[in-house]
Amino acid sequence: MLQKVSGFIQSHRLCQPESRILAAVSGGIDSTVLCEVLHQLKYDFAIAHCNFGLRAEEAEADQVFVKKLAKKYGVPYFTENFSTRAFAEQEKLSIQMAARTLRYQWFEQVRRQEGYDYIATAHHSNDTTETILLHLTKGTGIAGLHGIPPQNGHIIRPLLSVTKDDIYDFVTSEKIIWREDSSNDTTKYQRNKIRHEVIPVLKEINPSLEETMRHTAERVSHAEAIVEAYIGNLREQTVKEADNAVYISLVPLRNATGLPVVLHELLRPYNFSYTVVLELVEALDGLSGKQFDSPTHKLVKDRDQLVLTPRNLSSFGSTAIQEGDTAVEAGNLSFSIRYVDAALYKLNTKPHVAALDADQLKFPLKLRPWQEGDWFVPLGMNGKKKISDFLIDKKVPANLKPQTLVLVSEQSIAWVAGHRPDNRFKVTDKTARVMEITMQRKPA
């Protein structure tokens, strides 16, 4: 399998031997194999892992497993916790789409900040088949028929030429251990229904279904390149970027052949669905000011142009606090930080202020929204308490609960911001240095 993957990387020019690669790793069989392949092919890689806060203890165990995997290979490890349900509810997205939006935005953020050349995902040949069938079932354009491309910008898929059977053979021969995601077995998700109930029937007709689909996807990709050349010319005439916004002039598009398809292609980098594009086309002759949404952007029709602005997704992730930081911002909240000699410190017991034993904290700290399954030991107590129960006891209104942030040291919660510190990090007579962190809401 190593030769197959290496040949695929070279033939598609996915990366160079000296490239620095950020591997997206869930801990499942596919991404664990991706790590072993990158290791054996001697690539310089790091591991990035997302905890979407959807499976409580199981997700925590995945996080621990992936951290150990990074230690095994001696590579850098990056992790992020997301409030996926809150994001999905606010943006009216499926959980799967919300998770996809958040993780790719974060992967790109890490890639840029840490200086990696590519983001590698563990998609394989079976994923291409599932993706094409799913798109056909729900309705799609040309882009939906090319399946999963080997490369999309900085994202590469080194395993795309291998099948799931190849992967199982590899883990057997290499004696690889991985984490099994229990959600992969349920058919309540559309992709799983395709995988477990539809594909087996199609393979009775064509046992080489994955290979056939891969060749079809390649031919569609060539046809798509012809369309993209036409769209590229229009993009040069119509699209401009300035002041963190994208402006699309409607004047050159008025007489374009197949306007809905043209607009969909122009807006595809900003994740607008074809259904939304059809609504937009109907509104082009209407009044200015109508708004349209994608998971990552907002679009407003303004006279003879469309104006796109990115959403702020950071409030659904986390904010890092490095030792020595004096201020950070998280969404509409600001936090000021100071360090004081314990002998000189006068305790502040207000709920928006936390006094913590600085030497018990493990930096970098993280400020993030609380998640189902989170727990802490409230100050003054010896036993742990679920944050969901704590917020109920505090009578926090339902619409304010998702906005509650927690300060995390490694995997332990040190403070439920605005409410109560954790007893394990309290200031005691043995404390040498106090970290005081104060929360303030920014003016509207």
Side-chain angles (χ1 to χ4, degrees):
M1 190 175 102
L2 287 174
Q3 284 187 330
K4 196 172 185 179
V5 173
S6 179
F8 182 77
I9 291 173
Q10 292 175 31
S11 65
H12 288 81
R13 299 178 181 175
L14 298 188
C15 60
Q16 301 301 316
E18 66 275 11
S19 297
R20 301 184 72 228
I21 299 171
L22 183 68
V25 182
S26 67
I29 184 171
D30 302 335
S31 60
T32 304
V33 163
L34 173 63
C35 289
E36 181 64 23
V37 167
L38 292 175
H39 171 70
Q40 292 199 27
L41 293 178
K42 301 187 184 308
Y43 280 102
D44 177 5
F45 75 100
I47 287 176
H49 174 77
C50 298
N51 182 340
F52 296 106
L54 300 173
R55 295 180 292 121
E57 289 84 1
E58 189 178 351
E60 294 295 331
D62 290 346
Q63 207 162 19
V64 171
F65 173 82
V66 176
K67 185 175 183 180
K68 290 180 179 178
L69 199 64
K71 186 175 181 180
K72 168 188 171 183
Y73 292 116
V75 300
Y77 170 68
F78 306 96
T79 187
E80 180 63 288
N81 293 68
F82 290 108
S83 298
T84 310
R85 291 192 190 280
F87 178 59
E89 289 172 8
Q90 175 175 300
E91 305 303 331
K92 297 179 175 57
L93 299 171
S94 68
I95 291 293
Q96 291 74 31
M97 179 57 74
R100 183 184 187 282
T101 301
L102 290 169
R103 72 173 172 264
Y104 278 109
Q105 184 260 357
W106 177 67
F107 289 154
E108 177 60 15
Q109 177 185 324
V110 174
R111 186 194 69 79
R112 289 187 177 187
Q113 289 178 350
E114 302 298 330
Y116 288 91
D117 300 305
Y118 299 102
I119 299 162
T121 67
H123 293 97
H124 49 77
S125 184
N126 297 58
D127 291 319
T128 293
T129 300
E130 293 169 9
T131 299
I132 292 174
L133 291 174
L134 191 58
H135 287 167
L136 278 172
T137 302
K138 300 173 72 174
T140 187
I142 295 176
L145 296 178
H146 69 202
I148 303 172
Q151 183 170 0
N152 183 12
H154 294 288
I155 300 171
I156 59 174
R157 282 98 180 192
L159 304 185
L160 210 56
S161 64
V162 303
T163 66
K164 194 74 168 186
D165 288 341
D166 292 329
I167 288 172
Y168 279 123
D169 290 342
F170 187 74
V171 298
T172 301
S173 65
E174 301 295 324
K175 299 181 174 58
I176 294 172
I177 298 173
W178 72 91
R179 290 274 303 169
E180 193 63 64
D181 184 346
S182 59
S183 65
N184 287 335
D185 294 327
T186 177
T187 56
K188 73 177 183 179
Y189 299 121
Q190 295 172 345
R191 182 176 287 274
N192 286 357
K193 188 176 283 289
I194 294 281
R195 179 182 305 158
H196 296 303
E197 297 182 2
V198 176
I199 288 179
V201 176
L202 295 177
K203 291 192 74 167
E204 292 178 6
I205 301 172
N206 179 7
S208 302
L209 182 67
E210 285 83 12
E211 184 178 1
T212 300
M213 284 290 197
R214 183 164 60 85
H215 291 317
T216 299
E218 288 175 355
R219 291 194 294 272
V220 170
S221 293
H222 294 316
E224 185 183 19
I226 298 171
V227 174
E228 179 55 32
Y230 169 69
I231 296 296
N233 289 330
L234 280 177
R235 188 176 285 114
E236 290 182 2
Q237 300 174 47
T238 60
V239 180
K240 293 182 180 179
E241 295 187 24
D243 302 324
N244 201 33
V246 176
Y247 300 86
I248 300 178
S249 173
L250 293 172
V251 176
L253 301 178
R254 292 293 184 184
N255 298 319
T257 303
L259 181 58
V261 174
V262 169
L263 263 180
H264 187 223
E265 292 299 315
L266 289 174
L267 293 173
R268 190 148 58 88
Y270 314 106
N271 302 302
F272 284 88
S273 70
Y274 190 68
T275 302
V276 171
V277 171
L278 290 177
E279 295 175 5
L280 172 60
V281 171
E282 291 182 2
L284 289 182
D285 294 325
L287 297 174
S288 295
K290 187 161 185 179
Q291 181 175 298
F292 302 85
D293 298 298
S294 83
T296 56
H297 287 75
K298 290 183 178 292
L299 180 155
V300 175
K301 176 185 175 289
D302 180 33
R303 294 180 289 273
D304 285 329
Q305 65 180 355
L306 306 176
V307 183
L308 294 90
T309 52
R311 294 181 181 276
N312 177 17
L313 305 182
S314 62
S315 60
F316 298 93
S318 67
T319 299
I321 299 178
Q322 304 290 343
E323 188 165 15
D325 283 350
T326 58
V328 296
E329 294 187 354
N332 64 344
L333 298 172
S334 63
F335 295 83
S336 57
I337 304 160
R338 68 187 184 112
Y339 298 88
V340 186
D341 187 308
L344 303 175
Y345 183 71
K346 184 178 180 180
L347 190 64
N348 188 330
T349 59
K350 292 181 180 179
H352 68 281
V353 179
L356 306 171
D357 188 326
D359 296 319
Q360 295 298 318
L361 299 168
K362 305 296 182 184
F363 290 85
L365 307 177
K366 282 187 177 181
L367 276 167
R368 63 165 174 82
W370 75 279
Q371 300 169 348
E372 287 295 335
D374 278 347
W375 60 270
F376 78 130
V377 180
L379 184 65
M381 295 177 59
N382 292 320
K384 66 182 185 180
K385 190 179 187 72
K386 283 189 175 182
I387 290 181
S388 56
D389 295 335
F390 174 78
L391 295 178
I392 290 173
D393 292 344
K394 293 283 290 183
K395 296 183 171 56
V396 176
N399 62 327
L400 296 182
K401 287 180 183 178
Q403 301 178 27
T404 301
L405 301 184
V406 293
L407 180 69
V408 182
S409 170
E410 284 194 326
Q411 300 301 316
S412 299
I413 291 173
W415 180 38
V416 180
H419 294 284
R420 193 177 300 180
D422 186 290
N423 202 63
R424 295 166 295 175
F425 298 90
K426 69 181 179 181
V427 174
T428 70
D429 55 4
K430 296 181 180 179
T431 300
R433 193 167 56 110
V434 177
M435 180 185 123
E436 183 188 80
I437 178 167
T438 302
M439 180 181 79
Q440 287 184 316
R441 194 169 298 277
K442 292 187 288 189

